[in-house]
Amino acid sequence: MKQQLREFIFNELIFVAEPDKFSDDDDLLEAGLDSMGIMRLIMHIEEQFNITLPDSEIDPDNVNSFNALEQWILQHKT
Amino acid sequence: MNIISPFFQQCDQSPDNSALIEENTSISYAEFKTRIEKIATFLTNKHVKDQCIAIALDRGIDAASCIYGVLHVGAIYLPLDIKNPATRLNFIIHDARPSFIIGRGSAPDWLENKHLWLDISQLLLNDVHIHTPPQANNTDLAAILYTSGSTGKPKGVALSHQALLNFSSWASYTFKLDQQDRIASLAPFHFDLSIFDLFSSLASGASVYFLPARFSLSPSRLTAWLSEHKITIWYTVPSILSFVALKGALATTPLPHLKRLLFAGEVFPSQNLIKLAYLLADTALYNLYGPTETNVCCYWQVERQRLSPDHTIPIGRAAGAAKLDIDPVTAELLVDSLNNFSGYWQQGQLKPQTTQYYPTGDKVSLNVQGELLYHGRLDRMLKCSGYRVEPAEIEQCINQLNGVQNSAVVGIKDQASGQRPAAAIVLKSSSNLAETIKPLRQQLPPYMQPCKFLVLDTLPTLSNGKTDYPSVQKLF
């Protein structure tokens, strides 16, 4: 799952010079993920994984790293 | 008249009304006045009239106090984006040559010239010795807002008291601001949208609520905050409103107090606007248009029955008695208005604007209703999250990197809203892309960072030898 997220985020939303060195705990917001990027990311996740992420849970804490994103998605996958 | 005089009149009438609210702190008109006068008392002794004073504070009560304090002594405020990289901040300081920079605590590492620094908490310790703000002549400068420049360097747009007053009073009148209004402020003070939040608001006796910046990443908390504080008016950018429309839980958080929503800075994607208009059925929506140089020169009140997913909305009709003209050959919108800037601030002084009509660089046409429609740029300027971005400024940064021979920056359409910069780069032999572009992170603000890079052997050129940007665009 993280691989899929990496591909989408690094190809479509932000540019990271050395993606291999970007760890699953590194801060995506500091790397440039902004409100527009988060919006597109959520729509992508909902479509890819066929889940609905509640509006109330959209928060920096859930989107600021690959680990946080994975945890958040897993909570909503049946 | 001084742009802050209307605030003092409101303060005399209703000193106990709430002026500014930030998190759990609320200050009244009278308390705000005292803070302004403390700062002004300190600055008076420094003889700074008509000089520029930079403010290195985040949006909030302290920054607003400094802005008003600076204007109170007849000086010019220059709001810095403290999240800018050090190189960009230092460029602006070298170009603007401010007499002082007001911030918090001790001088930051990025500042080369540390003796310019003043700590706001020291300024607020002063006793008050002066009261009425001085009169300002119409042409006296009030603000310098730095934006991206097509020559490759940021440029300071200098605005007079008259320009700010004309816009501020037009907005107060048009959007019927009064003492009951609660205005949300999210735009940073270096962004021209903040002129409404800072001046139209307090000139009308309204209260300003500073929206915590973290909520722009958390749309349902943002709408909950708007609801909790019974916000009546908010002026912001379409990219934030799109996020709110799609993910802001508006269906379960109706905003019955929100009377008016104003937006500007970029084209609002129609499908998102339709959703927003549906969810906020009782809120009047307004599309405002104008570059920093003219502020709002035309606007359109959204007519819901005319919204269609296939069409972008008009930018409407003249605002603030602006005279609008369309160049018959290029279709460029030309603006003559009292809102217009005085010129660019360069190397510590004003370089006056000499033409009466400001050429916006935007292509427009008139529809059958006589409203203006926007058709994009005549030059290469991009709109990224509402910010204006000149590709030349990014190219200049890239070209200065070790290992780069040449570059071309173009905009690629963001699926959500606006554009994002993308860069085609020609590397010197033996350079590696990842290593080469690493320093960019420290040189450009986040909204100017290219989202894609492409390495080319040569840049495509036109027959006259100039870079063929449309061809570069097609490569992404």
Side-chain angles (χ1 to χ4, degrees):
Chain A
M1 178 193 296
K2 273 185 249 180
Q3 195 48 38
Q4 241 177 319
L5 293 171
R6 274 178 177 271
E7 273 173 35
F8 180 75
I9 291 177
F10 291 149
N11 289 331
E12 297 290 330
L13 303 180
I14 53 175
F15 183 86
V16 172
E18 293 165 295
D20 297 344
K21 290 191 186 159
F22 196 94
S23 88
D24 289 340
D25 279 320
D26 280 351
D27 195 321
L28 285 165
L29 304 178
E30 263 174 35
L33 187 66
D34 60 8
S35 59
M36 284 293 85
I38 294 172
M39 179 165 114
R40 281 184 57 195
L41 174 63
I42 289 165
M43 291 167 136
H44 173 81
I45 292 170
E46 293 188 330
E47 208 179 286
Q48 279 293 309
F49 301 105
N50 197 23
I51 55 172
T52 304
L53 296 169
D55 291 356
S56 60
E57 292 176 16
I58 302 172
D59 189 77
D61 290 345
N62 280 331
V63 298
N64 61 8
S65 71
F66 286 108
N67 280 334
L69 276 167
E70 187 184 53
Q71 266 190 20
W72 186 31
I73 295 167
L74 287 176
Q75 282 169 19
H76 294 280
K77 268 190 108 173
T78 44
Chain B
M1 186 160 82
N2 193 312
I3 176 69
I4 65 170
S5 298
F7 158 78
F8 282 83
Q9 289 157 15
Q10 288 291 344
C11 188
D12 288 343
Q13 286 168 24
S14 322
D16 299 328
N17 283 6
S18 291
L20 306 173
I21 297 91
E22 180 181 6
E23 303 278 358
N24 296 322
T25 308
S26 169
I27 61 170
S28 67
Y29 272 69
E31 286 164 333
F32 186 47
K33 183 176 169 217
T34 305
R35 291 173 64 101
I36 296 165
E37 287 170 344
K38 284 181 172 181
I39 293 168
T41 301
F42 177 89
L43 292 173
T44 301
N45 301 326
K46 306 283 180 188
H47 308 291
V48 289
K49 187 167 175 3
D50 297 325
Q51 294 185 32
C52 155
I53 296 180
I55 294 164
L57 291 164
D58 267 330
R59 177 179 53 90
I61 292 174
D62 280 347
S65 308
C66 289
I67 289 172
Y68 270 71
V70 164
L71 292 167
H72 194 300
V73 294
I76 311 162
Y77 81 92
L78 161 60
L80 295 172
D81 180 357
I82 50 177
K83 292 188 185 69
N84 263 194
T87 46
R88 200 167 195 265
L89 283 167
N90 273 310
F91 172 82
I92 291 172
I93 296 301
H94 282 293
D95 188 54
R97 301 181 189 170
S99 305
F100 295 103
I101 303 170
I102 309 177
R104 195 185 315 283
S106 52
D109 291 340
W110 59 261
L111 182 62
E112 288 166 11
N113 199 348
K114 301 233 181 326
H115 72 264
L116 295 178
W117 190 259
L118 295 175
D119 177 8
I120 169 91
S121 54
Q122 297 296 315
L123 269 56
L124 291 172
L125 295 177
N126 280 283
D127 293 329
V128 173
H129 296 300
I130 50 168
H131 296 287
T132 28
Q135 280 296 313
N137 293 320
N138 283 348
T139 55
D140 286 354
L141 295 183
I144 301 171
L145 305 181
Y146 269 80
T147 71
S148 191
S150 57
T151 56
K153 292 290 182 193
K155 60 180 177 184
V157 177
L159 299 161
S160 65
H161 281 265
Q162 173 180 263
L164 297 189
L165 268 167
N166 191 63
F167 167 75
S168 169
S169 46
W170 167 79
S172 306
Y173 174 79
T174 306
F175 305 116
K176 303 180 177 65
L177 302 188
D178 64 33
Q179 290 191 354
Q180 310 308 317
D181 274 312
R182 297 151 161 261
I183 298 171
S185 149
L186 178 64
F189 290 162
H190 56 90
F191 196 1
D192 57 4
L193 269 63
S194 66
I195 294 170
F196 176 82
D197 306 336
L198 279 166
F199 302 111
S200 305
S201 54
L202 300 183
S204 313
S207 311
V208 180
Y209 288 72
F210 293 111
L211 210 169
R214 60 182 183 278
F215 291 160
S216 61
L217 301 178
S218 208
S220 70
R221 296 196 183 166
L222 194 156
T223 49
W225 182 92
L226 294 172
S227 168
E228 181 194 342
H229 295 290
K230 301 186 174 69
I231 296 300
T232 59
I233 299 189
W234 184 27
Y235 182 20
T236 187
V237 290
S239 39
I240 297 282
L241 290 177
S242 290
F243 204 8
V244 167
L246 298 178
K247 296 285 167 193
L250 278 176
T252 50
T253 320
L255 300 172
H257 302 282
L258 190 64
K259 291 186 294 187
R260 293 182 179 80
L261 200 46
L262 326 178
F263 51 87
E266 59 196 345
V267 176
F268 204 139
S270 294
Q271 287 184 328
N272 300 345
L273 177 57
I274 290 169
K275 178 134 201 214
L276 186 74
Y278 170 76
L279 289 165
L280 294 175
D282 297 322
T283 303
L285 308 172
Y286 299 84
N287 184 26
L288 275 49
Y289 162 90
T292 307
E293 285 86 346
T294 69
N295 207 328
V296 177
C297 61
C298 59
Y299 77 112
W300 187 68
Q301 179 170 359
V302 173
E303 296 169 33
R304 284 173 163 76
Q305 74 281 8
R306 283 176 60 190
L307 293 177
S308 142
D310 307 324
H311 295 101
T312 54
I313 55 173
I315 53 172
R317 296 174 199 277
K323 282 182 262 175
L324 307 178
D325 209 351
I326 304 174
D327 185 293
V329 178
T330 61
E332 181 175 18
L333 177 64
L334 311 169
V335 182
D336 174 19
S337 161
L338 286 175
N339 286 358
N340 276 18
F341 73 135
S342 305
Y344 294 106
W345 184 265
Q346 287 175 335
Q347 296 172 332
Q349 57 182 326
L350 179 72
K351 192 171 165 239
Q353 181 71 0
T354 47
T355 54
Q356 188 183 354
Y357 279 84
Y358 173 74
T360 58
D362 284 334
K363 239 186 328 187
V364 298
S365 67
L366 284 171
N367 65 11
V368 287
Q369 289 99 334
E371 301 154 342
L372 286 166
L373 303 174
Y374 170 77
H375 301 294
R377 293 291 299 171
L378 285 156
D379 59 12
R380 304 201 290 132
M381 186 198 288
L382 309 177
K383 280 304 184 93
C384 308
S385 304
Y387 286 97
R388 101 188 195 192
V389 171
E390 290 287 358
E393 194 181 336
I394 303 173
E395 286 162 4
Q396 177 144 342
C397 269
I398 294 176
N399 292 346
Q400 283 171 354
L401 299 172
N402 279 332
V404 172
Q405 200 174 325
N406 205 351
S407 66
V409 170
V410 294
I412 50 181
K413 199 171 181 307
D414 190 302
Q415 284 180 2
S417 180
Q419 296 155 300
R420 288 187 187 262
I425 298 191
V426 180
L427 293 171
K428 288 180 186 156
S429 55
S430 78
S431 305
N432 149 293
L433 178 70
E435 278 303 313
T436 305
I437 60 177
K438 247 186 191 169
L440 272 191
R441 182 73 54 207
Q442 277 82 51
Q443 294 175 359
L444 291 169
Y447 57 89
M448 290 177 87
Q449 298 284 343
C451 68
K452 284 187 181 169
F453 285 89
L454 194 64
V455 177
L456 300 178
D457 292 333
T458 53
L459 294 179
T461 51
L462 299 164
S463 54
N464 62 8
K466 289 186 175 171
T467 306
D468 181 358
Y469 291 104
S471 294
V472 176
Q473 183 105 41
K474 288 189 194 124
L475 298 171
F476 285 99

